Amino acid sequence: MTPASKISLKSILTPAAFRTLLATSKSPVIPLDATWYLPNAGKSGKDEFLSERIPGARFFDIDQVKDESSPYPHMLPSVEVFNKALGDLGIKRTDKLVVYDKQGNFSAPRLFWTLSIFQHPEVYILDNFTQYKLQNLPIDNNVLKKVEEAVAEKTEYESPGLIEDRVASYSDLRQIIIEPLFRSKFNIIDARPYERWTGEKPEPRPGLPSGHLPGSISIPFSEVLDSETKEFKSEKELAKLFTDKGVDPDKPTIALCGTGVTACVVETALKKSGLAREDKPPIVYDGSWTEWAQRSDERYILKGIHST
């Protein structure tokens, strides 16, 4: 039997590789600023974009491009909403998109994942903006009054649709969690800080209980990044980290976090590690802990270090 192919992730660009892409690409390369902060941070990615951005960048607001009918934050939009958002940003399907965020690797992987599952042909992630600035690469500091000023002309964008089997819903995950034998056939990775996984510390959203899903593995997203530079760790380091944590590459993996943002950091890291396989690509639980903690009963919200 031919072994399953591993996912080869060549879409993570160093600042130097990004500059090379800009210089050599025959089609337009458009940076997308996906900066987003937790509600209690007191900062605005959109406001920061108005005063500082990579030249030619547009701003993608994950809090605005979402499922408006959902009570949960920034859930994936419909294909119609997604198409309008990219059209409003002046993006064509022939454009090469390079996403980044000002925290290093925090919210950019969420947009990287979103663009990928809506099947934009060529998407990259800059690793990362902090290093880009430290290398004194070009920055646009011209002050804009609104983000729309960064777009010269709108387009008609048309995605072929969402890759549904890379997104988990609440009902999908509940079916897995309630049956221990079925649950054991999956890696369920929680990217929230460890103390929120154990229930020792509260969630940033008032009234939301902390804790974790039965069978889940705690891998805080910060552990897949270099503590100083916030760049993704090397393939070798990531493979060791996931293996040491008990991630089985022969099982499908579901990643979650607070609201589906930093789950995508871990999802990207798993693909970079070489452990992810093409026949079992990582899945993100879009509603993540915010949805689970509000919809599930207490039997499936565990406290402490046990995970079964």
Side-chain angles (χ1 to χ4, degrees):
M1 181 181 293
T2 303
S5 298
K6 293 180 178 180
I7 293 175
S8 176
L9 192 63
K10 299 180 180 178
S11 303
I12 300 178
L13 303 179
T14 63
F18 169 53
R19 298 297 296 172
T20 297
L21 181 67
L22 283 173
T24 60
S25 177
K26 294 181 180 179
S27 56
V29 177
I30 299 178
L32 287 180
D33 187 329
T35 303
W36 175 84
Y37 294 97
L38 287 168
N40 58 357
K43 293 184 177 183
S44 165
K46 183 183 292 186
D47 289 347
E48 291 182 357
F49 175 83
L50 295 176
S51 59
E52 180 187 66
R53 70 207 75 85
I54 291 176
R58 291 102 193 255
F59 184 75
F60 189 103
D61 191 338
I62 64 174
D63 271 339
Q64 294 298 317
V65 186
K66 63 178 182 178
D67 178 0
E68 293 285 358
S69 67
S70 174
Y72 309 110
H74 46 249
M75 295 283 279
L76 282 170
S78 66
V79 68
E80 293 79 14
V81 170
F82 177 82
N83 286 341
K84 183 179 186 305
L86 265 65
D88 287 349
L89 289 173
I91 292 170
K92 300 176 183 177
R93 284 184 56 77
T94 52
D95 295 336
K96 297 175 182 177
L97 306 180
V98 181
V99 301
Y100 70 93
D101 71 72
K102 292 193 171 74
Q103 296 188 75
N105 279 304
F106 183 70
S107 50
R110 170 71 186 196
L111 179 54
F112 179 60
W113 174 73
T114 300
L115 293 167
S116 299
I117 63 172
F118 275 107
Q119 304 184 68
H120 187 81
E122 204 160 347
V123 188
Y124 303 87
I125 185 167
L126 177 63
D127 190 21
N128 57 39
F129 182 76
T130 303
Q131 297 306 304
Y132 180 93
K133 283 192 71 175
L134 286 173
Q135 294 174 29
N136 295 315
L137 294 170
I139 293 290
D140 185 351
N141 292 120
N142 291 317
V143 177
L144 303 177
K145 292 183 179 179
K146 54 185 180 179
V147 296
E148 289 80 6
E149 291 182 57
V151 180
E153 185 177 355
K154 295 182 179 181
T155 59
E156 292 292 328
Y157 188 92
E158 189 170 347
S159 163
L162 177 73
I163 304 174
E164 294 184 0
D165 61 4
R166 287 182 56 189
V167 187
S169 67
Y170 172 79
S171 59
D172 293 332
L173 195 56
R174 188 175 187 280
Q175 285 183 324
I176 294 168
I177 293 298
I178 63 176
E179 176 50 60
L181 287 176
F182 192 29
R183 185 196 313 157
S184 68
K185 298 181 185 297
F186 289 82
N187 302 305
I188 303 173
I189 299 176
D190 192 323
R192 290 174 301 149
Y194 180 72
E195 293 81 6
R196 285 163 58 189
W197 183 87
T198 62
E200 295 173 73
K201 288 190 176 180
E203 293 295 308
R205 287 166 178 77
L208 195 70
S210 55
H212 60 273
L213 282 78
S216 63
I217 302 169
S218 174
I219 305 181
F221 80 93
S222 58
E223 293 188 11
V224 306
L225 304 175
D226 182 279
S227 60
E228 296 294 327
T229 67
K230 307 305 178 186
E231 295 169 292
F232 282 100
K233 291 180 177 178
S234 70
E235 178 178 334
K236 184 177 179 180
E237 290 172 315
L238 290 171
K240 184 178 187 306
L241 170 65
F242 286 117
T243 301
D244 288 350
K245 292 281 189 173
V247 175
D248 184 345
D250 290 329
K251 297 178 181 179
T253 296
I254 299 174
L256 71 143
C257 58
T259 61
V261 175
T262 59
C264 297
V265 180
V266 170
E267 188 263 0
T268 302
L270 185 61
K271 290 188 290 188
K272 182 179 180 181
S273 76
L275 296 181
R277 294 177 4 190
E278 289 182 356
D279 64 328
K280 296 176 182 177
I283 301 164
V284 171
Y285 171 31
D286 196 21
S288 279
W289 187 255
T290 298
E291 181 181 32
W292 186 265
Q294 292 183 64
R295 296 185 64 180
S296 181
D297 62 58
E298 292 182 358
R299 289 179 297 164
Y300 305 119
I301 298 177
L302 303 185
K303 305 284 186 178
I305 62 173
H306 60 288
S307 63
T308 58

